[in-house]
Amino acid sequence: MAVALYGDSEQTLRLLERSIGVAIHARGNELQLEGEPERVALTRRVLEELYAQIEKGQAVRNADVRHVIRMLSDEPETQLSDVYDNILSRGSRKVIRAKNLSQRRYVDVIRKHDVAIAIGPAGTGKTYLAMAMAVAALHRKEVSRIVLTRPAVEAGERLGFLPGDLSEKVDPYMRPLYDALRDMMDMEKAQRLIERGTIEVAPLAFMRGRTLNDSFVILDEAQNTTGEQMKMFLTRLGDNSQAVITGDVTQIDLPGGTDSGLVEATRILKDVRGIGFQRFEARDVVRHPLVQSIIQAYERAGRGDQQGSERPSRAKGAKASKSSGASNSSDTAQGSKTSNPAKGPRGPRGPRGGRGEGESSGDGA
């Protein structure tokens, strides 16, 4: 057990030292912790939680260690059993669990709402967890089919211009959904369910005019829907159906001037009962640690570009205001009399961000 906890060449202990700022000395099954009392207490708690997971037969990877450190640092009262013991998809090829508090809240949002909308950067598990919940619902016979869809923006929804039959045209855009699905169940079983129509994977354009009853429906890459497409999708839901909508509002690929249906829906539907929202941040990324750093670097660059574009407008507005003030003074000196002195013209307004930009900054993604 000590070897499993310490990691190969004690890499888990070294990661704890670097991340929390303590010194750890291992002597057989005993550990000596040195450092500030608060940091030592956190390290002890992390080790206890990791040991509890190992006792249940779970392997501990570096990514798991980082997630546990972050969860216990942010919310010390968190019981990791509430996060990790929640098996999302029974009967799947592997055990699938939430990996952090944001993912756990996301699972709760899906369970408690007929429509769940998840917004955040790539790698936060938005689509993967939605797929796991859909497969679990199908296994429990809560629904009779799963419908997976996403907009084929790169083809402009005009798939007829691509070579091959319908399946060959659609597959490149649906591949991420297929990959997640086959990670959760045997490939042959997944193929049989697809052939029978129990699991349907199709571009968003093919949803028009349909009513989806007794279904778990997932709309992926929703930031690339138009407002009309989003409304069309939301009104497809029939009896005993639920939908999960996922997207990253910082990666909108729509033509210039086209508002994102996801951004619009977030604004319009925020107070509608039965619709739940979960927002993820860069720190919720569960892929390679570099992915989180890359996303944060792009966020900083984006904020710098935005501030740089605003400075000339502010300076220009100040100059115009000063000029108008001088003009008023000249009129008064010439004896111009009025009961309500005219105000000078306003300086030009700074650039107005579109709805997509406003939502992006508010999302923190």
Side-chain angles (χ1 to χ4, degrees):
M1 294 288 283
V3 175
L5 179 63
Y6 299 172
D8 293 337
S9 303
E10 298 186 351
Q11 61 178 354
T12 299
L13 303 183
R14 303 291 80 79
L15 177 57
L16 286 169
E17 288 180 328
R18 293 193 302 272
S19 301
I20 302 179
V22 295
I24 304 176
H25 306 287
R27 293 183 177 86
N29 292 333
E30 295 183 359
L31 291 175
Q32 181 179 353
L33 309 180
E34 297 178 0
E36 297 178 5
E38 298 83 2
R39 296 177 186 270
V40 169
L42 174 59
T43 305
R44 178 187 296 274
R45 178 78 191 284
V46 170
L47 286 167
E48 290 172 347
E49 293 289 354
L50 293 175
Y51 186 79
Q53 298 306 310
I54 292 172
E55 284 188 315
K56 296 175 183 177
Q58 298 179 26
V60 173
R61 302 171 302 168
N62 285 347
D64 300 319
V65 177
R66 294 188 187 94
H67 295 321
V68 172
I69 293 173
R70 185 200 147 192
M71 282 189 281
L72 295 181
S73 298
D74 291 349
E75 298 188 27
E77 301 305 316
T78 299
Q79 297 296 320
L80 263 63
S81 59
D82 295 338
V83 179
Y84 288 147
D85 284 354
N86 180 33
I87 300 177
L88 302 180
S89 184
R90 300 183 186 276
S92 66
R93 298 178 64 191
K94 64 179 183 180
V95 174
I96 299 172
R97 294 183 172 93
K99 294 185 177 180
N100 54 46
L101 290 173
S102 293
Q103 288 194 350
R104 184 66 176 85
R105 296 186 188 108
Y106 179 37
V107 170
D108 290 338
V109 167
I110 294 175
R111 285 180 167 165
K112 296 175 181 178
H113 299 84
D114 289 333
V115 175
I117 299 177
I119 300 173
T124 49
K126 303 183 299 296
T127 303
Y128 195 82
L129 286 178
M131 292 282 290
M133 294 294 285
V135 171
L138 185 65
H139 286 161
R140 293 192 297 263
K141 301 187 184 303
E142 295 173 359
V143 296
S144 62
R145 64 174 169 170
I146 298 173
V147 179
L148 312 172
T149 185
R150 61 182 350 200
V153 168
E154 294 85 351
E157 296 283 9
R158 292 183 288 272
L159 300 175
F161 290 101
L162 296 177
D165 59 22
L166 178 60
S167 176
E168 292 171 330
K169 297 172 190 290
V170 169
D171 274 359
Y173 305 101
M174 303 295 112
R175 181 55 54 189
L177 299 179
Y178 281 119
D179 291 343
L181 178 62
R182 287 166 178 161
D183 197 27
M184 297 171 190
M185 62 174 62
D186 182 83
M187 292 182 65
E188 292 183 2
K189 180 180 179 180
Q191 192 59 44
R192 287 197 305 271
L193 293 175
I194 291 173
E195 291 172 356
R196 294 206 307 255
T198 302
I199 297 178
E200 178 183 352
V201 184
L204 180 60
F206 288 29
M207 298 295 109
R208 191 175 298 277
R210 301 176 59 184
T211 300
L212 303 173
N213 293 316
D214 200 28
S215 303
F216 195 116
V217 192
I218 300 174
L219 171 58
D220 190 33
E221 295 289 327
Q223 75 276 5
N224 288 326
T225 63
T226 64
E228 177 185 340
Q229 289 172 325
M230 179 62 76
K231 181 180 178 182
M232 178 273 291
F233 171 80
L234 288 167
T235 54
R236 298 308 94 198
L237 286 185
D239 293 335
N240 191 41
S241 290
Q242 72 176 109
V244 178
I245 299 168
T246 69
D248 178 359
V249 295
T250 68
Q251 295 188 20
I252 297 174
D253 299 321
L254 294 168
T258 303
D259 291 333
S260 168
L262 177 59
V263 174
E264 183 181 74
T266 301
R267 174 175 53 82
I268 293 174
L269 305 175
K270 66 180 185 296
D271 296 322
V272 176
R273 183 175 298 179
I275 299 179
F277 294 85
Q278 175 63 39
R279 292 182 181 272
F280 291 91
E281 301 177 0
R283 65 178 185 170
D284 296 318
V285 170
V286 294
R287 290 179 181 168
H288 191 287
L290 268 178
V291 174
Q292 183 178 119
S293 300
I294 290 168
I295 291 172
Q296 291 172 335
Y298 272 97
E299 287 178 352
R300 290 192 296 270
R303 288 193 294 268
D305 291 343
Q306 185 178 10
Q307 292 172 357
S309 65
E310 289 176 353
R311 288 194 192 98
S313 297
R314 291 188 184 129
K316 186 177 180 182
K319 183 177 181 180
S321 177
K322 182 177 180 180
S323 175
S324 64
S327 175
N328 287 341
S329 298
S330 176
D331 290 343
T332 302
Q334 291 176 6
S336 174
K337 297 180 180 180
T338 176
S339 57
N340 293 309
K343 295 181 180 180
R346 284 191 222 169
R349 296 165 110 183
R352 291 179 59 188
R355 281 176 287 182
E357 295 173 354
E359 287 294 335
S360 176
S361 60
D363 181 46

